[in-house]
Amino acid sequence: MTQISESWVSDPATQKVCAVLTDGGAQALFVGGCVRNALLCAAVSDIDIATDARPQQVVELAQNAGLKAIPTGIDHGTITVVCDGVPHEITTFRRDIETDGRRAVVAFSDNIQEDAARRDFTMNALYAQPDGTVLDPLNGLPDLRARRVRFIGTAEHRIREDYLRSLRYFRFHAWYGDAEAGFDADALAAIASNLDGLSDLSRERVGAELLKLLGAPDPAPSVAAMRSVGVLAQLVPGADDRALAPLIMFEQQAGAAPDPIRRLAAIATPEIAKTLRLSKAQLQRLTQMRDEASGNASTAELGFRYGEESGLHKVLLRCAFFEQPWSEEMRTDLHAGANAEFPISASDLIPEFTGPALGQKLAELEARWIASGFGLTRDDLLSG
């Protein structure tokens, strides 16, 4: 018997939510990512609970217990129940009635087997009772233990239900797959034979899924596989992943945490990235990284203008684009730039310079100061 003993399972708030359901005569089963990640000793961020109770019953049970019930997806059977500030997404068992490659029409079910069968990968069809006892209706545990990303049923069928699953396959492989074992040949064949369906996907869904993939510790093999079967060109026309693997190597050397936008900047220009419907802030970050990575500013200047952390993004991209090895000297230069203070202010130049001439003079002095390695003093600059 497999048991989950993570702290979130025994958390009083979570146990109370489970008890609200079971005391009302319904099932309460942890499902999906929280179970998968707990078994992999990975972080659990969201608690999903599956139940045979219908949505309205979940709402009534929660409210009778004094808990807040939010109908976040009531048409699809999902109610978010908040207890002591902790959200729990509770979804009624479902089975698919109809699918069109983008969305499904579902019917509620009383059967865990039906609920499991409509999920995407075997490692996501694992459940656990409130005491942590794992239920495995589709024999997904061996796949999870082997870190084998395998579609439930046939890959062809699962993909045609929702074409985004092609991209999700690569995302899950990047996060949970065995890199040495490689990719499942049947899955790749099914993905390659269903590329046309990708063109109808929402660009927001594609962008969100791609950023999740790029947040993995090392997504380069998955992105390379996406390219080889045609998914990358179909979803992100014009994308080029040649700089991604070097970028990740330099990130690891520099001890830099994964950053999906930095990695997206390695494979997509701002014009290409616009098609992914990124937020304005995300697109601005990506554009700035690309511009500065191909610009002429020194490493120290990047630290001065953007700070050590933001400057590091641009330096790492530059290394990847131009095959320039990362060195600790770069970090030293970034640090020096980030901590340097330009010794001249506008008041030092007024009234001799005003208006546009003042700005031009400040820029000229700043350029001399940066070129000196931040060594020129105020008196040096004013007397020069």
Side-chain angles (χ1 to χ4, degrees):
M1 180 177 66
T2 302
Q3 196 88 10
I4 294 174
S5 57
E6 301 295 311
S7 60
W8 61 266
V9 174
S10 56
D11 182 270
T14 297
Q15 284 297 308
K16 181 174 181 178
V17 171
C18 290
V20 164
L21 292 171
T22 56
D23 290 350
Q27 295 184 65
L29 300 174
F30 302 119
V31 66
C34 59
V35 178
R36 178 198 65 228
N37 284 20
L39 292 169
L40 291 174
C41 298
V44 171
S45 57
D46 301 307
I47 301 175
D48 293 327
I49 297 173
T51 182
D52 54 353
R54 298 307 189 253
Q56 192 55 45
Q57 183 185 359
V58 173
V59 170
E60 292 171 359
L61 289 172
Q63 291 178 342
N64 290 341
L67 302 181
K68 185 177 182 180
I70 307 168
T72 45
I74 193 166
D75 290 342
H76 289 87
T78 300
I79 305 295
T80 299
V81 175
V82 181
C83 181
D84 294 338
V86 180
H88 303 77
E89 195 167 275
I90 302 175
T91 303
T92 303
F93 292 157
R94 298 176 293 180
R95 57 186 174 87
D96 289 341
I97 298 297
E98 182 182 339
T99 60
D100 63 3
R102 296 183 63 185
R103 61 185 67 83
V105 177
V106 300
F108 300 135
S109 172
D110 298 311
N111 189 320
I112 185 178
Q113 199 80 20
E114 287 185 333
D115 189 70
R118 70 175 300 276
R119 296 177 182 272
D120 47 14
F121 309 113
T122 55
M123 64 171 58
N124 289 339
L126 297 169
Y127 301 73
Q129 295 173 341
D131 66 357
T133 301
V134 174
L135 304 179
D136 184 13
L138 300 182
N139 197 32
L141 271 173
D143 289 333
L144 183 69
R145 288 169 176 152
R147 290 186 174 267
R148 181 170 50 242
V149 184
R150 184 168 65 88
F151 281 101
I152 292 170
T154 66
E156 189 92 13
H157 187 195
R158 290 280 85 81
I159 289 168
R160 289 183 176 178
E161 288 176 337
D162 183 352
Y163 289 105
L164 190 69
R165 285 174 174 167
S166 291
L167 181 51
R168 282 173 61 82
Y169 173 81
F170 295 109
R171 194 249 286 189
F172 274 84
H173 200 283
W175 277 99
Y176 309 113
D178 182 342
E180 294 185 4
F183 299 85
D184 179 75
D186 290 339
L188 293 183
I191 290 168
S193 65
N194 285 279
L195 294 178
D196 289 346
L198 297 173
S199 60
D200 293 329
L201 292 174
S202 155
R203 303 308 296 166
E204 289 83 358
R205 291 183 75 198
V206 170
E209 195 69 30
L210 184 59
L211 289 179
K212 290 177 183 177
L213 187 162
L214 292 173
D218 183 4
S222 284
V223 175
M226 286 170 59
R227 169 174 40 79
S228 69
V229 299
V231 170
L232 187 62
Q234 187 77 10
L235 290 178
V236 196
D240 184 344
D241 67 313
R242 286 178 293 180
L244 183 59
L247 172 64
I248 291 167
M249 179 180 69
F250 295 137
E251 289 175 352
Q252 293 169 347
Q253 293 173 355
D259 186 297
I261 296 297
R262 180 176 64 222
R263 291 167 171 186
L264 182 59
I267 68 175
T269 65
E271 291 71 25
I272 294 170
K274 284 178 183 177
T275 67
L276 297 173
R277 305 290 194 271
L278 303 178
S279 71
K280 184 177 180 180
Q282 289 172 328
L283 189 59
Q284 285 177 336
R285 284 190 68 217
L286 184 145
T287 301
Q288 187 186 82
M289 287 182 196
R290 292 277 305 203
D291 288 348
E292 293 295 353
S294 58
N296 297 318
S298 68
T299 300
E301 182 177 351
L302 290 175
F304 168 67
R305 297 200 182 284
Y306 300 105
E308 193 166 350
E309 181 179 349
S310 185
L312 180 61
H313 294 309
K314 301 158 181 61
V315 173
L316 289 172
L317 276 173
R318 181 177 293 178
C319 289
F321 286 146
F322 299 104
E323 299 181 357
Q324 176 185 0
W326 164 262
S327 70
E328 283 303 311
E329 183 180 350
M330 294 176 179
R331 188 188 303 280
T332 300
D333 289 344
L334 279 170
H335 182 75
N339 288 279
E341 294 185 17
F342 184 44
I344 301 296
S345 65
S347 62
D348 294 319
L349 304 176
I350 296 171
E352 184 177 356
F353 297 92
T354 59
L358 175 62
Q360 183 177 350
K361 186 63 176 179
L362 280 170
E364 174 192 321
L365 294 178
E366 184 184 76
R368 286 179 52 205
W369 174 70
I370 292 172
S372 75
F374 314 114
L376 291 177
T377 65
R378 176 178 178 277
D379 291 341
D380 293 332
L381 292 167
L382 292 177
S383 63

